[in-house]
Amino acid sequence: MTSTLIVGGSGGLGGVIAQHFADRGDDVVITSRDKARAETAAARIGPGVRGLALDLARPETIAASLAEVTEVDNVVVTAVGQAANTLAQFDITDAVSAVTMKLVGYAETVRVLRDRFTPGASVVLFGGLAKERPYPGSTVVTTFNAGITGLVRTLAVEIAPHRVNALHPGLIGDSPKWRDVPDPPHSARTPIGRLVTMAEIADATDFLLRNTGVNAHDLHMDGGLLVT
């Protein structure tokens, strides 16, 4: 049975991705910063899904948090830190926390699990389209999402022959943040005439994990927004 770990899989996009792999029969482990939330979400996703507490913003605790994960085929790290932060009103505490979570926490998760990878194991790290399209308040978000590109490239060398790729979604039309917003930004500008969906992001995650020829790649899931 395929073992899949979804870091940040207790709700929203991470939860949809976890459901995708659970539905196909994987042995799924999800994480949240809160153990009770992780366990509740795991029970909702399906029988046999396990929930663990893990806080990427405290990378020194990650090794202990993942002690129960003894073998893994797929690692997906979806956790995000999207708080607005501008140079004009720069919050250093928030910035340090966000960058620590997104870059140090992501890297430490892969480091901790590397010796537990099965021979065909692969990794998907989530960034975001803000790395290509900054917006007001995205100073830190744009920076750490761009950092994911560099992290993926160096990890592809360091954990070879295991593969690692990045997935950078644009706005997701049916996500909790946007599904109830009339005429959300960018929807009319994409060549497909709409925003991407959570199911499409889950399928793209699956593709990056299973296609053995894709490595050290940035996949933009934006409906073609970058060409407009």
Side-chain angles (χ1 to χ4, degrees):
M1 180 181 292
T2 301
S3 174
T4 298
L5 170 69
I6 312 293
V7 176
S10 63
L13 177 60
V16 171
I17 294 170
Q19 189 74 62
H20 174 91
F21 289 102
D23 287 348
R24 76 172 195 185
D26 285 16
D27 177 18
V28 175
V29 177
I30 65 170
T31 78
S32 172
R33 284 178 294 179
D34 180 77
K35 184 172 178 60
R37 181 181 178 186
E39 291 176 340
T40 298
R44 182 175 65 249
I45 292 168
V49 179
R50 291 179 290 154
L52 300 177
L54 185 147
D55 188 352
L56 291 171
R58 299 175 62 210
E60 69 279 1
T61 69
I62 290 174
S65 297
L66 293 175
E68 295 180 27
V69 180
T70 57
E71 186 177 83
V72 65
D73 296 290
N74 299 319
V75 177
V76 181
V77 190
T78 68
V80 297
Q82 297 286 7
N85 209 344
T86 65
L87 285 183
Q89 296 179 314
F90 199 59
D91 188 315
I92 293 175
T93 300
D94 283 353
V96 170
S97 177
V99 172
T100 299
M101 182 200 76
K102 196 76 175 186
L103 298 181
V104 182
Y106 275 36
E108 175 66 356
T109 299
V110 176
R111 186 199 69 79
V112 166
L113 293 172
R114 179 185 180 184
D115 291 341
R116 307 172 208 175
F117 285 174
T118 60
S122 63
V123 178
V124 172
L125 305 180
F126 269 66
L129 205 65
K131 83 181 187 72
E132 304 291 340
R133 290 287 180 91
Y135 55 85
S138 78
T139 301
V140 175
V141 175
T142 293
T143 300
F144 65 56
N145 282 337
I148 291 293
T149 295
L151 179 59
V152 159
R153 290 179 179 179
T154 189
L155 287 178
V157 174
E158 292 201 59
I159 70 172
H162 300 291
R163 297 178 302 105
V164 54
N165 292 286
L167 201 161
H168 299 277
L171 300 186
I172 303 172
D174 59 347
S175 66
K177 182 175 182 179
W178 296 108
R179 63 191 174 202
D180 297 322
V181 176
D183 191 26
H186 303 164
S187 55
R189 292 176 52 196
T190 64
I192 62 173
R194 60 171 176 82
L195 301 180
V196 297
T197 68
M198 291 197 287
E200 288 169 334
I201 301 297
D203 181 69
T205 305
D206 195 350
F207 161 74
L208 291 175
L209 290 169
R210 74 174 184 268
N211 190 302
T212 53
V214 183
N215 193 27
H217 183 72
D218 281 306
L219 178 59
H220 299 113
M221 283 293 293
D222 64 348
L225 180 66
L226 285 180
V227 302
T228 65

